Amino acid sequence: MSRRAVLAGGAAAALSSGGAGLAWWWNGRERLIEPSSSEVAHGEAARPHSGRTVRSALSAREGMAALGFQSAATWLYGGQLPGPAIRARTGDVLDVEVHNLLPQSTSVHWHGIALRNDMDGVPGLTGPAIKPGGRFTYRFTLPDPGTYFFHPHLGVQLDRGLYGPLIVEDPEERLAPDVEHVVMLDDWTDGLGSGTGPDSQLAALSSANGMSMMDMSNPGHAGVSATAPLGTDGGDVHYRLHLINGRGPDDPATLAAKPGDTVRLRLINAAADTAYRVYLQGHRLRVTHADGFAVVPVMVDELIIGMGERYDVQVVAAAGAFTLVGTPEAKGGRSARAVLRTRPGGGSDDALPPRVQGARTLTYDDLVPLGDQLPTRKVDRRLSLRLSLVGNAYKWALNDKVMEDMQHLSDSLRVHAGERVELTYRNDSGMFHPMHLHGHTFELARDGAPGPRKDTVIVAPGATVATFFDADNPGQWMLHCHNVYHQAAGMETVLSYRT
Ligand code: C2O
Ligand code: CU
């Protein structure tokens, strides 16, 4: 171990700027398993491999997003919104050359993929940032099929137009829909006038005073109920637009199919600060996958999707044009929409279709895994995280620590390869937090039965959520709230493998 630890003070700066090189902390007794460690290379070599390499390229640069009737100057992948879809199959090696034409450093993170640690795209932790003008080739095996996405892992860059779908097809797919569409939801503020960009939004939040923090800090004020499962404070930023596939509600994207087709919708929430309640006019949704993993199909009228979550749903398309709605949960703003169309003409009118009376909304309890459960075994290590605001400032904390002073926290989130880990979240704040663990999928704990596999889990105000995972992917892994503003305000830590 050549590098001594730096995680006090400079670490947050290193992580958010990506410019200061790897920032390691070491307590002298245990060795950190670094991204460059042989364990990481061995783990990659052991992943089942199809023998195929899928090559792709992404350029990150400034550009205009059309958004439908209102365009915005922003940052994009490949000049388009969403960025170009990347498709491969389980066991393929993905080889993506990223060219950074942005005025700042960036990185690409492959959200939800249990990949080799040194390709995880977290500057300062798993590798260097890509400097302006620079290039980096990400190359890794795709171990699991499913719906994923990619985005930068620096500051609040995700709240610009930098995101795109990553679809890993399953060669053993049983459900075989007739048609499939990717549906990416996003909250949009960038480039809609001066001071609307994500950096300005973060600066405004950071200068807010203690009074406005009252409701955010108190789970008792959160207003959680059956009809408001995430409470009544659904986000920190006001968004003028909510998008599906890069289009605002005035010029919605069309999802084409034929009447009677079985249509798969791969729903991805790429928003920074908004969960959506999603429903499709005239259809029930058959939920088949959560965060890429198959579940026993369950029929619902609507579902709530948090930032970083994905659901695959199937519908049997009726004849006509039907509005797919994504209503911002517990915050204002016009709903995102797209149109499922099986016939030309006719269509979806301006008025949003009403939600079904007494709608059946998906809950995590409805999700029963179909295969891929963790084997039953005893827990080797119990970790817990308390989610809260600290002080009278916009500082979101894990176990009362924000990223700048996480030296001790990181030490408490250490694991050893091979352990079964229980990780419990307790939300002592008035806002929901979609907690995301890199490099692993966990199982939601459930009495007497296996819970679903996920990589992102919403923890509602006042709630406690227990998860289990096997420490089977050595390295240094981010664990954070997928509200990008919460993350930037400190709500992130590292799951740290040691020997
Ligand atoms: Cu979707 Cu740490 O990321
Ligand atoms: Cu959060």
Side-chain angles (χ1 to χ4, degrees), residues 74-100:
T74 186
W75 296 0
L76 300 165
Y77 288 130
Q80 64 181 79
L81 187 70
I86 297 177
R87 277 185 186 265
R89 274 180 289 183
T90 318
D92 291 353
V93 169
L94 193 60
D95 178 300
V96 186
E97 190 191 50
V98 177
H99 191 187
N100 180 12

Side-chain angles (χ1 to χ4, degrees), residues 3 14-24 34-36 98 100 105-110 117-132 134-138 153-154:
R3 274 177 295 258
L15 277 172
S16 52
S17 75
L22 297 181
W24 291 123
E34 299 185 58
S36 59
V98 177
N100 180 12
S105 291
T106 193
S107 74
V108 180
H109 168 63
W110 312 92
N117 188 233
D118 55 350
M119 293 291 139
D120 199 40
V122 181
L125 185 69
T126 66
I130 313 172
K131 299 237 159 57
R135 297 174 192 264
F136 184 81
T137 299
Y138 292 90
H153 219 283
L154 255 175

Side-chain angles (χ1 to χ4, degrees), residues 109 111-112 122 149 151-153 158 308 436 438 478 480 482 487:
H109 168 63
H111 178 111
V122 181
F149 70 122
H151 63 74
H153 219 283
L158 166 64
H436 173 55
H438 287 206
M478 290 301 297
H480 62 89
H482 220 280
Q487 183 185 1

Side-chain angles (χ1 to χ4, degrees), residues 78 344 355 369 434 484:
R355 285 174 57 208
V484 174

